[in-house]
Amino acid sequence: MFTTLLLVTPVAVPLTVCAGHALAAERADTRVRIPAARKAPVRVPVRVGSGGAESPDLALPVEPEPSPPPPRTRGWAGLVSPASMLASGVALASHVPSTGPVSAFGEVLRADALTVWMLLVIGAVAALAVAAGPAHLAGERAAGRAADRTVHRYHLLVHAFLAAMCLAVLAGNLGVLWVAVEATTVVTAFLVGHRRTRTSVEAAWKYVVICSAGIALAFLGTVLIYYAARRAGIPEAGALDWRVLVAHAGSLDPNVTRLGIALVVLGYGAKAGLVPLHAWLPDAHSQAPSPVSALMSGVLLAVSFCAVLRYKVIGDLVLGTGFARGLLAAIALLTLALAAGLLLAQRDYKRMLAYSSMEHMGLIALGASFGGPLALSAVLLHIAGHGLAKTVAFCASGQLLQLRGTPRIGRIRGLIALSPGLGGALALSVVALLGLPPFALFASELGLARAGFAAGMGWPLAVALLLALVAFAALAARTAKMVLGPAPGDLTAPVRIGAARGLPLGAGLLCCAALGLTVQPLLPLLTAAADIASGATR
């Protein structure tokens, strides 16, 4: 019973918060309809004369009482969702690596070490993004771009998004995994078009069309794996169960499995921002609200790639390691080349961060192609470090956009002099993304390099490092132009960002640095998760 509660909580709590905001949004819609009938003032008759007779002609107008503003604590109350994810993750991490996977509802929900690691990453990134939400929405309100119902709709969609991602990593059934990833597409499409401008709506449609094509490919791949499982005599109830498929991988048809794995890698790779179905990423990340961009870049890409890792284990057991290794390595190098080239020509800082996400997903895919526990440990550490650093970078870029009113890199100068807190946070987040010490990406990239040489893939690793160096130079040069230099001439005093805006940024950087300095408290979980992702443990 307690295990079932731990598996259900990360999905149920965000859905409960989501339902609460749905009711609040309905009440806000009702209040919006009322003012048309309340524009005329209420007339209160005045009694005149000694008899106290009412005279309607002398009635005094009384304006109706305005509706109270939404309480400030409502946005912060949303932290209960990431808190529930982290609490469930910590409780599961205390015994899953040693006692083995746990499941509920007939393996529909299942948690092994890889699940728990991803659940902790989602919870940590979600905590930062949700904490940054109230300040972001306050800035939107001040600019006249958000009303009560807009705020409620934002929170509703964000928590539905969190529930869908948790369901994706907790799914023990590959069909449920597909449904959960598709749900993230539906929910985030509305978040990308949150502002309802022409550019944001166009980005939302582009996101829906491209990711739907990718999800359709993943669906076809899932159907083929199901067909191969049924042909192998696996009962219908277990034909999409990941544990059952891994146990009976030797009896699956190699030709059908090969086509299914290729379609799945391309399909879920689209959601992970990998070539060739990557074109949605820069538009969606640049148009979505910054905390949403942080969630999409920080964990949605990683959750989608986690689905690829699940299928890779099956493919390696059926086909050997060569097929998935070659496919992932080719996609990773193409993604790195495209991201590096586009970073060189980038003039928009939010799109710059989006192309940086493509670069890092390319490195993650390349590490997965190496195979083995060492490579997968580096991949999972890279996922966590990238999620934390990119969340800080996107939240800081959102504050910068509200402060300066432009996403153009060329129009931002002297950010550290203008706002030391904001400029410092943005600069440090980019330092972390560049893979410099003491942040987690430094350790993970060293691990990827060691794993690449150990796997005998020196030339793909050399090409990847060269492309990463180009991306490094482009990202560093453009960030330096924004954060360094003299303050604007009209500046009278530095702008303080305040605790509400600064705490999520500082906490994210601190966690990323802590992971870079030591992973000892999480080492048993990381090792067990890497063993599962590499196929060393079934």
Side-chain angles (χ1 to χ4, degrees):
M1 182 63 184
F2 181 65
T3 299
T4 301
L5 181 64
L6 290 179
L7 294 177
V8 169
T9 296
V11 180
V13 171
L15 288 179
T16 303
V17 177
C18 178
H21 281 288
L23 294 174
E26 180 62 28
R27 288 196 296 268
D29 280 342
T30 304
R31 287 199 302 269
V32 168
R33 298 188 198 105
I34 291 175
R38 289 171 59 183
K39 284 182 181 177
V42 179
R43 302 187 71 82
V44 179
V46 177
R47 295 182 180 275
V48 295
S50 58
E54 292 184 352
S55 175
D57 294 334
L58 296 177
L60 298 177
V62 178
E63 291 292 336
E65 184 179 351
S67 59
R72 285 180 171 269
T73 58
R74 184 174 292 159
W76 290 96
L79 285 170
V80 68
S81 292
S84 68
M85 300 169 198
L86 290 171
S88 296
V90 170
L92 289 168
S94 64
H95 67 274
V96 163
S98 56
T99 62
V102 294
S103 60
F105 307 114
E107 296 280 338
V108 172
L109 297 181
R110 183 174 182 273
D112 54 22
L114 178 58
T115 298
V116 177
W117 180 268
M118 292 303 302
L119 193 61
L120 290 174
V121 173
I122 294 172
V125 171
L128 300 176
V130 171
H136 174 81
L137 292 171
E140 294 294 290
R141 278 179 174 276
R145 292 190 293 265
D148 279 2
R149 58 179 176 176
T150 312
V151 171
H152 289 303
R153 185 171 64 245
Y154 170 89
H155 288 301
L156 184 155
L157 292 169
V158 164
H159 290 282
F161 180 27
L162 295 179
M165 287 194 292
C166 288
L167 179 60
V169 299
L170 286 164
N173 184 287
L174 299 181
V176 176
L177 170 63
W178 183 87
V179 171
V181 175
E182 173 67 0
T184 64
T185 303
V186 175
V187 173
T188 48
F190 292 100
L191 286 167
V192 171
H194 178 73
R195 285 192 174 183
R196 298 189 178 184
T197 62
R198 179 177 178 177
T199 308
S200 64
V201 171
E202 180 183 344
W205 275 110
K206 190 174 183 180
Y207 172 60
V208 168
V209 170
I210 296 176
C211 286
S212 294
I215 290 298
L217 292 176
F219 178 75
L220 289 176
T222 304
V223 170
L224 287 173
I225 297 298
Y226 176 82
Y227 172 74
R230 296 291 289 136
R231 284 279 304 272
I234 298 175
E236 182 179 351
L240 284 178
D241 187 293
W242 184 80
R243 181 185 59 81
V244 173
L245 288 169
V246 169
H248 295 83
S251 59
L252 299 182
D253 187 319
N255 293 323
V256 176
T257 303
R258 182 180 292 106
L259 181 56
I261 295 297
L263 290 173
V264 164
V265 170
L266 290 174
Y268 286 128
K271 288 287 300 219
L274 298 174
V275 168
L277 298 175
H278 63 279
W280 64 270
L281 192 146
D283 295 292
H285 283 52
S286 63
Q287 293 303 314
S290 292
V292 175
S293 299
L295 286 171
M296 293 176 71
S297 181
V299 282
L300 176 60
L301 304 183
V303 166
S304 302
F305 193 79
C306 186
V308 174
L309 291 178
R310 293 287 186 185
Y311 277 94
K312 180 180 178 295
V313 173
I314 299 171
D316 287 349
L317 292 173
V318 178
L319 307 167
T321 59
F323 176 72
R325 171 174 291 185
L327 182 60
L328 283 173
I331 290 175
L333 292 178
L334 288 173
T335 303
L336 281 166
L338 183 67
L342 291 172
L343 277 170
L344 287 172
Q346 201 46 238
R347 296 181 176 86
D348 181 307
Y349 50 80
K350 286 195 75 176
R351 292 178 71 89
M352 176 184 74
L353 293 174
Y355 286 122
S356 169
S357 297
M358 285 181 59
E359 177 218 346
H360 284 281
M361 291 311 300
L363 290 173
I364 287 169
L366 185 65
S369 73
F370 297 157
L374 174 59
L376 270 299
S377 294
V379 163
L380 294 176
L381 181 59
H382 200 96
I383 284 173
H386 173 256
L388 293 168
K390 193 55 67 68
T391 299
V392 175
F394 267 114
C395 290
S397 70
Q399 296 180 27
L400 177 57
L401 182 60
Q402 291 181 342
L403 178 65
R404 300 296 290 167
T406 177
R408 307 295 290 178
I409 295 173
R411 297 180 183 177
I412 308 294
R413 291 292 183 272
L415 181 57
I416 286 183
L418 172 65
S419 178
L422 178 57
L426 180 61
L428 287 174
S429 66
V430 172
V431 167
L433 292 171
L434 293 176
L436 297 176
F439 297 102
L441 295 180
F442 174 73
S444 65
E445 289 178 5
L446 282 180
L448 289 175
R450 287 181 56 200
F453 286 118
M457 296 186 68
W459 73 264
L461 179 62
V463 173
L465 291 177
L466 179 61
L467 294 171
L469 183 62
V470 174
F472 179 107
L475 190 60
R478 278 152 180 76
T479 305
K481 286 182 180 179
M482 291 194 298
V483 301
L484 301 179
D490 57 349
L491 179 66
T492 57
V495 178
R496 297 184 179 276
I497 59 175
R501 294 178 181 271
L503 281 176
L505 306 182
L509 291 171
L510 185 61
C511 291
C512 190
L515 274 179
L517 293 172
T518 178
V519 292
Q520 190 60 41
L522 297 172
L523 188 58
L525 177 63
L526 178 60
T527 302
D531 287 341
I532 291 171
S534 65
T537 301
R538 303 184 186 182

